[in-house]
Amino acid sequence: MSQPQLIDCHTHTAFSYDSDAGLDEMYGRAEKLGISVYAVTDHCDHCCDTPEEQLIQYDFEFERSEYWEDTEAAFRAVMALKEQEADSPVKILNGIELGEPLQDLKKAERILTRPYDMVIGSLHNISGFPDFYFLDFSTMSRLELREVMVNYFLELTELAKWNRFDTLAHITYPFRYLKERNVSYDMTYYDDMIEQVLKILADSGKALELNTSGLRQKIQSTLPEERYVRRFRELGGELVTIGSDAHDPAALGTGILEGYDILRRAGFRYVAYYEHRRPVQTAL
Ligand SMILES: [Zn+2]
Ligand SMILES: [Zn+2]
């Protein structure tokens, strides 16, 4: 049996607030690794395209790059790279990670007028709260924590229903940070809510993303973990995408082969990427 193509459909560059990696540098790494499909999916979070003065409330720790979440510039840069590398064996896809679109629908609609190849939907923070990355769980009671988590899955359900994306990313995102901060939790408590999200995706023909970033982090599992991928399949889910969520060249392509094993065990025979917003399935 021939080796499956190496596909990485969730990656960032310095056009994202939390990455310093140049697009050329990331592309060079993709070429070196023999990646067949490389999707650039820089962030557009609820505050992207927002003037600096209005961002003070978010208190970012990161130093902003020159192109801090300038989605228009990111789009043009990836277009230019595609043109320049038209003969390359690496298929470059122009994507975006549209975070929290329901928190600014007008902006999301504006972003979606651009002819992206692939749109990732994601949720990094619940309304009125900062990204889970910034949350101080140590000051929360068990009850408060549970409320935050329930609200996360409620908002994720609304996002799944909105459905203007191609694939829904890292649906167990908050658990990454609970693990990082040594907060104990019972993931199964949220199983019914997660199942509802999976069912909406399956019924609407949207893809579930297997995000492999967790394999190189403290949580030591994909987001979501294997049993949810299997459940998605059981619920009739047919499309899955995969991505390293790399923010630097060293992380590009990591965990993809391991992720393929998880997808196969969960009953999938194909993994998808999106070109001109249409799924292309490749054999696993
Ligand atoms: Zn994300
Ligand atoms: Zn990401």
Side-chain angles (χ1 to χ4, degrees):
M1 211 180 85
S2 60
Q3 281 282 320
Q5 295 181 51
L6 207 50
I7 292 173
D8 197 337
C9 276
H10 188 151
T11 72
H12 296 274
T13 74
F15 286 108
S16 293
Y17 72 92
D18 50 359
S19 167
D20 297 322
L23 176 59
D24 287 351
E25 199 188 344
M26 292 295 278
Y27 169 73
R29 180 73 182 156
E31 215 177 11
K32 203 167 165 198
L33 289 171
I35 286 179
S36 307
V37 180
Y38 164 55
V40 186
T41 57
D42 278 308
H43 285 294
C44 173
D45 283 315
H46 63 297
C47 49
C48 82
D49 290 350
T50 305
E52 179 115 15
E53 318 79 77
Q54 291 173 28
L55 284 173
I56 290 163
Q57 55 175 315
Y58 296 114
D59 189 26
F60 282 114
E61 284 173 15
F62 300 103
E63 244 183 60
R64 298 207 191 126
S65 71
E66 185 186 349
Y67 300 112
W68 192 85
E69 294 204 0
D70 182 345
T71 61
E72 174 67 40
F75 182 81
R76 277 189 270 112
V78 179
M79 276 311 194
L81 182 69
K82 276 175 91 155
E83 224 175 281
Q84 182 195 310
E85 303 295 339
D87 299 327
S88 164
V90 183
K91 183 188 277 294
I92 302 162
L93 298 174
N94 200 344
I96 191 162
E97 180 178 1
L98 193 52
E100 309 79 53
L102 300 185
Q103 293 176 25
D104 190 345
L105 257 183
K106 252 170 129 175
K107 184 209 68 196
E109 301 283 348
R110 195 172 67 238
I111 297 280
L112 286 169
T113 60
R114 286 191 204 124
Y116 286 106
D117 284 310
M118 177 161 183
V119 175
I120 294 177
S122 68
L123 186 62
H124 304 102
N125 69 284
I126 53 173
S127 288
F129 284 76
D131 191 313
F132 279 91
Y133 177 95
F134 298 107
L135 282 188
D136 183 3
F137 300 108
S138 66
T139 59
M140 283 183 202
S141 67
R142 298 299 298 171
L143 206 65
E144 282 167 336
L145 177 63
R146 202 159 260 192
E147 195 183 331
V148 165
M149 294 300 289
V150 166
N151 283 333
Y152 169 80
F153 286 111
L154 287 175
E155 266 194 55
L156 192 68
T157 306
E158 290 310 305
L159 174 55
K161 284 185 192 158
W162 177 67
N163 121 0
R164 298 277 309 275
F165 51 82
D166 301 314
T167 186
L168 192 59
H170 51 60
I171 62 166
T172 48
Y173 182 78
F175 295 115
R176 172 199 279 171
Y177 297 105
L178 294 180
K179 192 75 185 177
E180 296 276 344
R181 315 278 154 76
N182 300 314
V183 179
S184 63
Y185 57 87
D186 174 12
M187 204 187 273
T188 60
Y189 181 82
Y190 308 97
D191 273 4
D192 288 350
M193 300 187 82
I194 295 174
E195 170 139 347
Q196 200 186 349
V197 171
L198 296 175
K199 179 110 180 57
I200 294 166
L201 293 179
D203 289 349
S204 57
K206 296 292 169 183
L208 174 72
E209 180 199 77
L210 186 67
N211 189 298
T212 63
S213 64
L215 294 171
R216 52 179 196 272
Q217 292 161 345
K218 196 170 177 181
I219 192 164
Q220 287 292 301
S221 83
T222 51
L223 307 173
E225 57 179 42
E226 185 166 341
R227 67 193 181 90
Y228 296 118
V229 184
R230 202 177 320 122
R231 192 69 194 121
F232 179 58
R233 184 69 183 148
E234 286 164 3
L235 290 166
E238 289 185 350
L239 294 166
V240 276
T241 62
I242 193 162
S244 66
D245 211 345
H247 285 65
D248 57 75
L252 199 69
T254 59
I256 300 294
L257 294 178
E258 209 171 319
Y260 286 170
D261 287 339
I262 290 172
L263 294 177
R264 279 189 215 103
R265 285 199 297 267
F268 288 94
R269 289 168 50 223
Y270 298 92
V271 65
Y273 62 86
Y274 284 75
E275 194 165 17
H276 309 303
R277 305 289 315 269
R278 282 191 291 272
V280 179
Q281 300 252 60
T282 64
L284 278 167

